[in-house]
Amino acid sequence: MQSRYFEVYDEWQRDPQAFWKAAAEAIHWFKPPDRVFDEDQGVYGRWFIGGETNTCFNCLDRHVAAGHGSRQAFIYDSAMSGEKRTFTYDQVLSEVSAIAGTLIDLGIQKGDRVIVYMPMVPEAVFSMLACARIGAVHSVVFGGFAAQELAARLNDSEAKLVITASCGLEPGRVVAYKPLLDQAIELADVKPRHCLVLQREQLWVDLRAERGDLDFAEAIERARGRTVECVPVAATDPLYILYTSGTTGQPKGVIRDNGGHMVALHWSMENIFGVKPGEVFWTASDIGWVVGHSYIVYAPLLAGITSVIYEGKPVGTPDAGTFWRVAGEHDVKVLFTAPTAFRAIRRDDPEGELVQNYDLLSLRALFLAGERADPETLKWAEQQLKVPVIDHWWQTETGWPIAANPLGLDLMPFKHGSPTRPMPGYRLEVLDDMGHPVTPGMLGNLVIKLPLPPGCLPSFWNADQRFRETCLSEFPGYYKTADAGLIDEDGYVFVMARTDDIINCAGHRLSTGGMEEVCARHPDVAECAVIGVNDSIKGQIPCGFIVLKNNVSRDEKGISREVAELVRNEIGPVAAFKTVIVVPKLPKTRSGKILRGTMQKIADDQPWKMPATIEDAAVLETITIVLKHNGYAKEARGSSS
Ligand code: COA
Ligand code: AMP
């Protein structure tokens, strides 16, 4: 049977506006849109102009009104604390209303920004929905980021309120969030008026009333039982800002609107992920990332599905069978995670012995995204789970899959290493650096013809010009994904590498440029370069090279340790920045450009050529020796250009 994908993609291509108009009928509108798309609004056009709606209403009230209030909305399962709780749609509505009432009491109004800096607890998800309910704009900050990163987000978003927890739980340690938040507020130019702090039993923190700290549970209790109606917002109003790594230390605030986001996510849940209302869907990620926003919180609820909120790791909490335990125990139909999680599970349980201990008969498919799914890991997952393993490709900016094999439209044949084909809404092309189309099978820049579909970012927060320059100006008429890849003769997409300085470490998106900015702040560092090197579990990990100032005579190892510590303290432990190598010089072109690409190839044992424009070939040879000494570049041997 041929996949219905072809028919549906054609339908979209023939009349994109009619396609999205029909998809928008699944959403409740207080006022239906006047126009499906207006190319004269916003940076490249806006979706569902004139429409008024509310995302929280569509996630909760609509299902309750339809008589589904007793259906499970969330299953919370913490492998860290052993806690398990379930919440019906009725219960979530009541919790969210109480938080929304508290937000109103604290003076938060439509359009105000609220930072959510929380671990994977249900209250984090309820807080996001409460913001949506009153038209406030949430910005979730991943717990693994340090104070400096949080301060940058406080400044850029000008948040009036921070919702946080006393701690996060990482294997072997309790991460105290409050000192990090206090430090971030000290550093920030724009200070929030209040901090709402959820006290967890693992760590009780002192609250400073004079600084606007409030106890989350007490505040919510005071607002409990009040009716807080959903505030109608324009389809084009922002639902959230999610900061993601850009090519500098300054993160980019990706904006998500209300109307287009709901339409696209609702469509994707049934058609791409193939999950139906009432079924259980589990995205093993974190709400700090876009994957968590879209597929732990919004898409499942919009579609009336039960979503699993999991606190824990794929391994070590307590073992590599934890995913199978959760999937079996909660009757998960479709699981979505990052390939790195499967590489970690495979390392700890290569024969898949732990899989046998659990009943996974309900599981229909595994979706993988966040980084390239290497064929070896993918095949291993297929063998162990005996269900289709579906690689799909997207990014924070798009909010939902650009390319996938849509389970809900019947699968197409797989090609390992390919996330299959572009989804309706995306006209994907491959252009060379001059902007010319390449022949099928040739590597180039993966770009999307404008307009981007509903759900994708309309711009960066307060930075339209940066959005134009970063994403739209290099290839006029197209959005640049900053991924390099190819489309083969059969129309299958292959995503090979980033074209900028972003690396993907354990499924986390990090900017090596941002890390270089921090390294350069160390008083003994004259120059530095950070590259991503291959790692068998995390995909890539950062590796720093520093050149010391002439007058420095201190112990090099000590300085390396300090530089690594600086990055951990300023960006966060999530950067996994542990290797810092002191070198006498950095390899550069005659025009002064650091040859990071060549260094990366040497480290990863890929074929490389001595660049014709190199300033001093001996420097690259020294780098090769240093890399070998540090356990990289085992086979490295270059050739002259
Ligand atoms: N709060 C505080 N610290 C955090 C954190 C959080 N929410 N998340 C991670 N960290 C810390 C970790 O404790 C670790 O610190 P350490 O250097 O002291 O050990 C560091 O940040 C790196 O964490 P992580 O990237 O999780 O690496 P890990 O070695 O602990 O675990 C994996 C490796 C592969 C098991 C893990 O990264 C994983 O599960 N990845 C899946 C990622 C994912 O879901 N990505 C989302 C896209 S789909
Ligand atoms: P993020 O914005 O954190 O979701 O990261 C997006 C980036 O992760 C993309 O631009 C790609 O570089 C990478 N990525 C995500 N999914 C895939 C995939 N399926 N295959 C290859 N790379 C991927």
Short mmCIF file of all heavy atoms in Angstrom, two decimals, residues 464-514:
data_model
loop_
_atom_site.label_atom_id
_atom_site.label_comp_id
_atom_site.label_asym_id
_atom_site.label_seq_id
_atom_site.Cartn_x
_atom_site.Cartn_y
_atom_site.Cartn_z
N ASP A 464 13.85 41.63 14.73
CA ASP A 464 13.48 41.29 13.35
C ASP A 464 14.70 41.33 12.43
O ASP A 464 14.86 40.47 11.55
CB ASP A 464 12.45 42.29 12.81
CG ASP A 464 11.06 42.06 13.40
OD1 ASP A 464 10.89 41.04 14.10
OD2 ASP A 464 10.18 42.90 13.18
N GLN A 465 15.54 42.35 12.65
CA GLN A 465 16.68 42.51 11.74
C GLN A 465 17.65 41.34 11.89
O GLN A 465 18.17 40.81 10.91
CB GLN A 465 17.36 43.86 12.02
CG GLN A 465 18.35 44.30 10.96
CD GLN A 465 17.79 44.22 9.53
OE1 GLN A 465 16.58 44.30 9.30
NE2 GLN A 465 18.69 44.02 8.57
N ARG A 466 17.87 40.90 13.13
CA ARG A 466 18.76 39.76 13.35
C ARG A 466 18.18 38.51 12.68
O ARG A 466 18.90 37.69 12.12
CB ARG A 466 18.96 39.53 14.86
CG ARG A 466 19.99 38.47 15.15
CD ARG A 466 20.28 38.32 16.63
NE ARG A 466 21.26 37.27 16.86
CZ ARG A 466 21.43 36.64 18.00
NH1 ARG A 466 20.72 36.97 19.04
NH2 ARG A 466 22.33 35.68 18.13
N PHE A 467 16.85 38.38 12.76
CA PHE A 467 16.19 37.23 12.12
C PHE A 467 16.42 37.26 10.61
O PHE A 467 16.81 36.26 10.00
CB PHE A 467 14.69 37.25 12.44
CG PHE A 467 13.88 36.20 11.73
CD1 PHE A 467 14.21 34.86 11.84
CD2 PHE A 467 12.78 36.54 10.94
CE1 PHE A 467 13.47 33.87 11.19
CE2 PHE A 467 12.04 35.57 10.29
CZ PHE A 467 12.38 34.24 10.41
N ARG A 468 16.22 38.47 10.02
CA ARG A 468 16.44 38.59 8.57
C ARG A 468 17.88 38.23 8.22
O ARG A 468 18.14 37.46 7.31
CB ARG A 468 16.18 40.03 8.10
CG ARG A 468 14.72 40.39 8.01
CD ARG A 468 14.51 41.71 7.26
NE ARG A 468 13.15 42.14 7.45
CZ ARG A 468 12.75 42.98 8.42
NH1 ARG A 468 13.63 43.51 9.25
NH2 ARG A 468 11.48 43.30 8.53
N GLU A 469 18.81 38.82 8.99
CA GLU A 469 20.23 38.62 8.65
C GLU A 469 20.65 37.17 8.87
O GLU A 469 21.38 36.60 8.06
CB GLU A 469 21.11 39.52 9.54
CG GLU A 469 21.12 40.95 9.06
CD GLU A 469 21.67 41.90 10.12
OE1 GLU A 469 22.26 41.44 11.11
OE2 GLU A 469 21.48 43.13 9.95
N THR A 470 20.19 36.56 9.95
CA THR A 470 20.64 35.20 10.27
C THR A 470 19.98 34.16 9.39
O THR A 470 20.61 33.19 8.99
CB THR A 470 20.31 34.84 11.74
OG1 THR A 470 20.53 35.97 12.55
CG2 THR A 470 21.11 33.69 12.25
N CYS A 471 18.69 34.35 9.12
CA CYS A 471 17.94 33.24 8.51
C CYS A 471 17.47 33.50 7.08
O CYS A 471 17.22 32.55 6.34
CB CYS A 471 16.71 32.92 9.36
SG CYS A 471 17.09 32.50 11.05
N LEU A 472 17.30 34.75 6.68
CA LEU A 472 16.62 35.00 5.40
C LEU A 472 17.48 35.67 4.35
O LEU A 472 17.15 35.61 3.15
CB LEU A 472 15.36 35.86 5.62
CG LEU A 472 14.36 35.37 6.69
CD1 LEU A 472 13.16 36.30 6.75
CD2 LEU A 472 13.91 33.95 6.43
N SER A 473 18.58 36.33 4.75
CA SER A 473 19.26 37.18 3.75
C SER A 473 20.22 36.41 2.85
O SER A 473 20.40 36.77 1.69
CB SER A 473 19.98 38.33 4.43
OG SER A 473 20.96 37.81 5.27
N GLU A 474 20.80 35.32 3.34
CA GLU A 474 21.83 34.63 2.52
C GLU A 474 21.23 34.02 1.26
O GLU A 474 21.84 34.04 0.19
CB GLU A 474 22.51 33.57 3.37
CG GLU A 474 23.78 33.05 2.73
CD GLU A 474 24.57 32.16 3.68
OE1 GLU A 474 24.43 32.30 4.91
OE2 GLU A 474 25.31 31.30 3.17
N PHE A 475 20.02 33.48 1.38
CA PHE A 475 19.35 32.88 0.22
C PHE A 475 17.99 33.57 0.07
O PHE A 475 16.99 33.11 0.65
CB PHE A 475 19.18 31.37 0.43
CG PHE A 475 20.48 30.66 0.67
CD1 PHE A 475 20.85 30.24 1.95
CD2 PHE A 475 21.37 30.43 -0.38
CE1 PHE A 475 22.06 29.62 2.18
CE2 PHE A 475 22.59 29.79 -0.15
CZ PHE A 475 22.93 29.39 1.12
N PRO A 476 17.93 34.68 -0.69
CA PRO A 476 16.68 35.45 -0.76
C PRO A 476 15.50 34.58 -1.19
O PRO A 476 15.61 33.78 -2.12
CB PRO A 476 17.00 36.53 -1.81
CG PRO A 476 18.49 36.67 -1.75
CD PRO A 476 19.02 35.29 -1.46
N GLY A 477 14.40 34.73 -0.46
CA GLY A 477 13.20 33.94 -0.76
C GLY A 477 13.16 32.62 -0.01
O GLY A 477 12.18 31.86 -0.13
N TYR A 478 14.22 32.34 0.75
CA TYR A 478 14.29 31.06 1.47
C TYR A 478 14.66 31.30 2.94
O TYR A 478 15.34 32.27 3.27
CB TYR A 478 15.38 30.16 0.88
CG TYR A 478 15.10 29.70 -0.51
CD1 TYR A 478 15.53 30.45 -1.61
CD2 TYR A 478 14.41 28.51 -0.74
CE1 TYR A 478 15.28 30.03 -2.90
CE2 TYR A 478 14.17 28.08 -2.03
CZ TYR A 478 14.60 28.84 -3.11
OH TYR A 478 14.35 28.41 -4.37
N TYR A 479 14.27 30.33 3.77
CA TYR A 479 14.75 30.27 5.15
C TYR A 479 15.94 29.31 5.18
O TYR A 479 15.85 28.18 4.68
CB TYR A 479 13.62 29.76 6.07
CG TYR A 479 14.12 29.30 7.42
CD1 TYR A 479 14.37 30.23 8.43
CD2 TYR A 479 14.36 27.95 7.68
CE1 TYR A 479 14.85 29.82 9.66
CE2 TYR A 479 14.84 27.54 8.91
CZ TYR A 479 15.08 28.47 9.90
OH TYR A 479 15.57 28.06 11.12
N LYS A 480 17.05 29.78 5.75
CA LYS A 480 18.25 28.94 5.83
C LYS A 480 18.19 28.10 7.10
O LYS A 480 18.13 28.67 8.20
CB LYS A 480 19.48 29.86 5.86
CG LYS A 480 20.79 29.12 5.95
CD LYS A 480 21.97 30.06 5.93
CE LYS A 480 22.27 30.59 7.31
NZ LYS A 480 23.58 31.22 7.46
N THR A 481 18.19 26.79 6.96
CA THR A 481 18.11 25.94 8.15
C THR A 481 19.44 25.90 8.90
O THR A 481 19.49 25.48 10.06
CB THR A 481 17.72 24.48 7.81
OG1 THR A 481 18.77 23.91 7.02
CG2 THR A 481 16.39 24.40 7.08
N ALA A 482 20.54 26.29 8.19
CA ALA A 482 21.91 26.16 8.73
C ALA A 482 22.31 24.69 8.88
O ALA A 482 23.24 24.37 9.60
CB ALA A 482 22.11 26.94 10.03
N ASP A 483 21.58 23.82 8.21
CA ASP A 483 21.99 22.42 8.12
C ASP A 483 22.43 22.15 6.68
O ASP A 483 21.82 22.67 5.73
CB ASP A 483 20.82 21.48 8.46
CG ASP A 483 20.65 21.31 9.96
OD1 ASP A 483 21.66 21.07 10.65
OD2 ASP A 483 19.52 21.43 10.45
N ALA A 484 23.47 21.35 6.54
CA ALA A 484 23.91 20.93 5.21
C ALA A 484 23.40 19.52 4.98
O ALA A 484 23.31 18.73 5.92
CB ALA A 484 25.43 20.96 5.13
N GLY A 485 23.04 19.22 3.74
CA GLY A 485 22.56 17.89 3.45
C GLY A 485 22.26 17.71 1.98
O GLY A 485 22.71 18.51 1.15
N LEU A 486 21.50 16.69 1.67
CA LEU A 486 21.16 16.43 0.28
C LEU A 486 19.77 15.83 0.18
O LEU A 486 19.20 15.36 1.18
CB LEU A 486 22.19 15.48 -0.35
CG LEU A 486 22.41 14.12 0.31
CD1 LEU A 486 21.50 13.05 -0.30
CD2 LEU A 486 23.86 13.69 0.15
N ILE A 487 19.24 15.90 -1.03
CA ILE A 487 17.99 15.20 -1.34
C ILE A 487 18.33 14.26 -2.49
O ILE A 487 18.84 14.70 -3.52
CB ILE A 487 16.87 16.19 -1.74
CG1 ILE A 487 16.61 17.19 -0.60
CG2 ILE A 487 15.59 15.43 -2.09
CD1 ILE A 487 15.53 18.23 -0.87
N ASP A 488 18.09 12.97 -2.31
CA ASP A 488 18.52 12.02 -3.34
C ASP A 488 17.50 11.91 -4.47
O ASP A 488 16.47 12.59 -4.45
CB ASP A 488 18.88 10.66 -2.70
CG ASP A 488 17.65 9.87 -2.25
OD1 ASP A 488 16.50 10.32 -2.52
OD2 ASP A 488 17.83 8.81 -1.62
N GLU A 489 17.78 11.05 -5.45
CA GLU A 489 16.92 10.92 -6.63
C GLU A 489 15.49 10.52 -6.25
O GLU A 489 14.55 10.84 -6.96
CB GLU A 489 17.46 9.85 -7.61
CG GLU A 489 18.63 10.29 -8.47
CD GLU A 489 19.95 10.19 -7.71
OE1 GLU A 489 19.94 9.78 -6.52
OE2 GLU A 489 20.99 10.54 -8.30
N ASP A 490 15.33 9.83 -5.13
CA ASP A 490 13.99 9.40 -4.70
C ASP A 490 13.28 10.44 -3.85
O ASP A 490 12.20 10.17 -3.32
CB ASP A 490 14.09 8.10 -3.89
CG ASP A 490 14.73 6.99 -4.69
OD1 ASP A 490 14.55 6.98 -5.93
OD2 ASP A 490 15.43 6.16 -4.09
N GLY A 491 13.92 11.59 -3.64
CA GLY A 491 13.29 12.64 -2.84
C GLY A 491 13.54 12.49 -1.34
O GLY A 491 12.93 13.19 -0.53
N TYR A 492 14.43 11.58 -0.95
CA TYR A 492 14.74 11.39 0.47
C TYR A 492 15.77 12.43 0.91
O TYR A 492 16.74 12.69 0.22
CB TYR A 492 15.29 9.98 0.74
CG TYR A 492 14.19 8.94 0.84
CD1 TYR A 492 13.36 8.68 -0.24
CD2 TYR A 492 13.99 8.24 2.03
CE1 TYR A 492 12.34 7.73 -0.13
CE2 TYR A 492 12.98 7.28 2.14
CZ TYR A 492 12.16 7.04 1.06
OH TYR A 492 11.15 6.11 1.16
N VAL A 493 15.53 12.98 2.10
CA VAL A 493 16.39 14.03 2.64
C VAL A 493 17.47 13.38 3.52
O VAL A 493 17.17 12.46 4.28
CB VAL A 493 15.55 14.98 3.52
CG1 VAL A 493 16.40 16.11 4.07
CG2 VAL A 493 14.35 15.52 2.76
N PHE A 494 18.69 13.88 3.41
CA PHE A 494 19.76 13.44 4.32
C PHE A 494 20.35 14.68 4.96
O PHE A 494 20.76 15.60 4.25
CB PHE A 494 20.84 12.67 3.56
CG PHE A 494 20.40 11.30 3.11
CD1 PHE A 494 19.58 11.16 1.98
CD2 PHE A 494 20.77 10.17 3.81
CE1 PHE A 494 19.15 9.90 1.58
CE2 PHE A 494 20.34 8.91 3.41
CZ PHE A 494 19.53 8.77 2.30
N VAL A 495 20.35 14.74 6.29
CA VAL A 495 20.88 15.91 7.01
C VAL A 495 22.24 15.51 7.55
O VAL A 495 22.35 14.57 8.35
CB VAL A 495 19.93 16.32 8.16
CG1 VAL A 495 20.42 17.59 8.84
CG2 VAL A 495 18.51 16.51 7.64
N MET A 496 23.28 16.21 7.10
CA MET A 496 24.63 15.73 7.42
C MET A 496 25.34 16.54 8.51
O MET A 496 26.01 15.97 9.34
CB MET A 496 25.50 15.74 6.15
CG MET A 496 24.88 15.02 4.96
SD MET A 496 24.31 13.35 5.32
CE MET A 496 25.83 12.50 5.52
N ALA A 497 25.26 17.86 8.46
CA ALA A 497 26.05 18.67 9.40
C ALA A 497 25.50 20.07 9.47
O ALA A 497 24.75 20.49 8.60
CB ALA A 497 27.50 18.73 8.92
N ARG A 498 25.89 20.81 10.48
CA ARG A 498 25.53 22.22 10.57
C ARG A 498 26.49 23.03 9.71
O ARG A 498 27.66 22.68 9.54
CB ARG A 498 25.66 22.71 12.02
CG ARG A 498 24.62 22.19 12.95
CD ARG A 498 23.27 22.78 12.81
NE ARG A 498 23.17 24.22 13.02
CZ ARG A 498 22.02 24.86 13.25
NH1 ARG A 498 20.88 24.21 13.29
NH2 ARG A 498 22.01 26.16 13.43
N THR A 499 25.99 24.15 9.20
CA THR A 499 26.87 25.02 8.42
C THR A 499 27.38 26.18 9.28
O THR A 499 28.09 27.04 8.79
CB THR A 499 26.12 25.60 7.20
OG1 THR A 499 24.97 26.32 7.68
CG2 THR A 499 25.67 24.52 6.24
N ASP A 500 26.97 26.22 10.55
CA ASP A 500 27.46 27.28 11.43
C ASP A 500 28.24 26.66 12.58
O ASP A 500 28.71 25.53 12.48
CB ASP A 500 26.30 28.15 11.93
CG ASP A 500 25.22 27.30 12.62
OD1 ASP A 500 25.48 26.11 12.90
OD2 ASP A 500 24.13 27.83 12.89
N ASP A 501 28.38 27.37 13.67
CA ASP A 501 29.23 26.87 14.76
C ASP A 501 28.45 26.09 15.82
O ASP A 501 28.93 25.86 16.91
CB ASP A 501 29.94 28.06 15.44
CG ASP A 501 28.96 28.88 16.28
OD1 ASP A 501 27.75 28.79 16.03
OD2 ASP A 501 29.41 29.58 17.19
N ILE A 502 27.21 25.70 15.48
CA ILE A 502 26.41 24.97 16.47
C ILE A 502 26.87 23.51 16.53
O ILE A 502 27.10 22.89 15.49
CB ILE A 502 24.92 25.00 16.07
CG1 ILE A 502 24.39 26.44 15.97
CG2 ILE A 502 24.06 24.15 16.99
CD1 ILE A 502 24.30 27.17 17.27
N ILE A 503 26.98 22.98 17.75
CA ILE A 503 27.22 21.55 17.88
C ILE A 503 26.06 20.93 18.65
O ILE A 503 25.33 21.61 19.36
CB ILE A 503 28.57 21.21 18.57
CG1 ILE A 503 28.61 21.78 19.99
CG2 ILE A 503 29.73 21.68 17.74
CD1 ILE A 503 29.73 21.21 20.83
N ASN A 504 25.91 19.64 18.47
CA ASN A 504 24.83 18.93 19.11
C ASN A 504 25.42 17.96 20.12
O ASN A 504 25.99 16.95 19.74
CB ASN A 504 24.06 18.18 18.04
CG ASN A 504 22.60 18.27 18.31
OD1 ASN A 504 22.18 17.92 19.41
ND2 ASN A 504 21.85 18.73 17.34
N CYS A 505 25.32 18.26 21.39
CA CYS A 505 25.97 17.47 22.43
C CYS A 505 24.88 16.82 23.28
O CYS A 505 24.15 17.52 23.97
CB CYS A 505 26.85 18.39 23.26
SG CYS A 505 27.61 17.59 24.66
N ALA A 506 24.77 15.50 23.19
CA ALA A 506 23.72 14.75 23.91
C ALA A 506 22.34 15.31 23.59
O ALA A 506 21.49 15.44 24.47
CB ALA A 506 23.99 14.76 25.41
N GLY A 507 22.14 15.68 22.33
CA GLY A 507 20.83 16.21 21.92
C GLY A 507 20.62 17.66 22.34
O GLY A 507 19.57 18.22 22.10
N HIS A 508 21.62 18.27 22.99
CA HIS A 508 21.50 19.68 23.39
C HIS A 508 22.22 20.54 22.36
O HIS A 508 23.34 20.24 21.95
CB HIS A 508 22.13 19.93 24.75
CG HIS A 508 21.73 18.94 25.81
ND1 HIS A 508 20.43 18.56 26.02
CD2 HIS A 508 22.46 18.25 26.72
CE1 HIS A 508 20.40 17.68 27.02
NE2 HIS A 508 21.61 17.47 27.44
N ARG A 509 21.58 21.65 22.00
CA ARG A 509 22.15 22.53 20.98
C ARG A 509 23.03 23.58 21.64
O ARG A 509 22.57 24.34 22.47
CB ARG A 509 20.99 23.16 20.22
CG ARG A 509 21.38 24.21 19.24
CD ARG A 509 20.17 24.51 18.39
NE ARG A 509 20.27 25.79 17.78
CZ ARG A 509 19.36 26.27 16.93
NH1 ARG A 509 18.30 25.55 16.63
NH2 ARG A 509 19.50 27.45 16.41
N LEU A 510 24.29 23.63 21.25
CA LEU A 510 25.24 24.54 21.90
C LEU A 510 26.05 25.30 20.87
O LEU A 510 26.34 24.77 19.79
CB LEU A 510 26.21 23.73 22.77
CG LEU A 510 25.57 22.89 23.88
CD1 LEU A 510 26.54 21.81 24.36
CD2 LEU A 510 25.14 23.76 25.04
N SER A 511 26.43 26.52 21.22
CA SER A 511 27.22 27.33 20.30
C SER A 511 28.68 27.30 20.73
O SER A 511 29.01 27.71 21.85
CB SER A 511 26.68 28.76 20.32
OG SER A 511 27.67 29.65 19.86
N THR A 512 29.56 26.84 19.83
CA THR A 512 30.99 26.85 20.17
C THR A 512 31.48 28.30 20.22
O THR A 512 32.39 28.62 20.97
CB THR A 512 31.82 26.04 19.16
OG1 THR A 512 31.52 26.53 17.85
CG2 THR A 512 31.53 24.57 19.25
N GLY A 513 30.85 29.18 19.42
CA GLY A 513 31.20 30.60 19.45
C GLY A 513 30.93 31.18 20.83
O GLY A 513 31.73 31.96 21.37
N GLY A 514 29.81 30.77 21.42
CA GLY A 514 29.46 31.23 22.76
C GLY A 514 30.50 30.75 23.77
O GLY A 514 30.88 31.49 24.69
#
